[in-house]
Amino acid sequence: MIDIDEQISTVERRIGSRVLDAGTARVQTISRTYAASVDELWDACTSAERLPRWFLPVSGELRLHGRYQLEGNAGGVVQRCDPPKSFAATWEFGGEVSWIEVRLSPLSDGTTRFELEHVAHVDDERWAQFGPGATGVGWDLALIGLTLHLAAPQQPVDPQAVEAWSTSTEGREFITRSSDQWRAASVAAGTDPTEAGEAAERTTAFYTGTA
């Protein structure tokens, strides 16, 4: 179903920070190059018909200043839209507001670089507890869906099959390796290695159901 080695190695993960009006926010960036045109990738990421095939059902208005809602997950408002290159939106979940931006960059060989940036105010205590993997592993899992969808655009994702895979030996291996990659990104950004390792262990336990 999934080439774990390829999915882990072809995805780039970075951690940074940004000063906003409300203070310093943490910035997570996940990116990968796909063998698809920028128009194809834009449609996959913004079409209300296609999003449920690889991510989640979405309702609302997918347009500038429109409000959207992902089923069982975040909602928000589209703040900027520059098709087919980028869009930005609020990411409202659990009573908290963060921000996402998706950027698509066409490359000379016909492929397209996908980059998602997630900006959030995360207090030091919660960061120390789970680190970037708390949301990073979720984004890694989403990119699996996008990879599968681009390979077979007309084949919708089977939620039961996804759930079964995520709890399988292969799925747990992927989650564990994704969590470790976010640990490495956190260390590269200046987090104490021991602290980053402990946070990654807790994140892995949460996602694999062994907490």
Side-chain angles (χ1 to χ4, degrees):
M1 180 180 180
I2 297 295
D3 185 332
I4 292 178
D5 289 336
E6 180 183 16
Q7 191 69 21
I8 289 294
S9 64
T10 56
V11 172
E12 182 181 352
R13 305 160 187 85
R14 302 191 307 274
I15 306 297
S17 62
R18 183 174 302 164
V19 178
L20 305 177
D21 291 342
T24 300
R26 302 184 194 272
V27 182
Q28 270 182 289
T29 306
I30 185 168
S31 57
R32 179 182 172 167
T33 297
Y34 287 99
S37 69
V38 67
D39 290 320
E40 168 69 5
L41 196 50
W42 174 265
D43 192 58
C45 293
T46 61
S47 167
E49 294 182 5
R50 294 184 67 173
L51 279 168
R53 297 180 199 168
W54 66 271
F55 192 36
L56 289 168
V58 60
S59 58
E61 298 179 295
L62 299 182
R63 59 171 180 80
L64 185 61
H65 306 312
R67 175 166 284 277
Y68 71 93
Q69 179 62 52
L70 293 165
E71 186 175 299
N73 204 296
V77 175
V78 179
Q79 296 182 312
R80 183 173 53 74
C81 188
D82 180 22
K85 294 182 178 180
S86 67
F87 67 86
T90 60
W91 186 262
E92 304 169 19
F93 182 75
E96 298 183 347
V97 179
S98 54
W99 301 266
I100 61 167
E101 180 175 355
V102 171
R103 296 185 288 266
L104 306 180
S105 304
L107 305 178
S108 59
D109 61 358
T111 62
T112 303
R113 187 71 173 171
F114 169 97
E115 186 172 71
L116 183 145
E117 188 177 81
H118 192 172
V119 181
H121 292 288
V122 183
D123 61 67
D124 291 341
E125 182 178 348
R126 190 166 19 152
W127 185 262
Q129 183 177 8
F130 292 110
T135 50
V137 171
W139 289 122
D140 259 311
L141 290 168
L143 286 190
I144 285 181
L146 181 56
T147 300
L148 293 173
H149 174 66
L150 290 172
Q154 301 306 316
Q155 181 67 40
V157 173
D158 181 348
Q160 292 182 336
V162 171
E163 183 176 358
W165 180 83
S166 65
T167 57
S168 68
T169 300
E170 185 181 41
R172 290 195 297 271
E173 179 188 349
F174 176 81
I175 289 169
T176 300
R177 292 176 63 178
S178 165
S179 181
D180 186 62
Q181 290 295 309
W182 285 108
R183 175 204 59 77
S186 186
V187 171
T191 304
D192 175 79
T194 300
E195 179 183 308
E198 292 173 347
E201 289 178 1
R202 287 188 285 268
T203 292
T204 301
F206 173 79
Y207 274 96
T208 57
T210 58

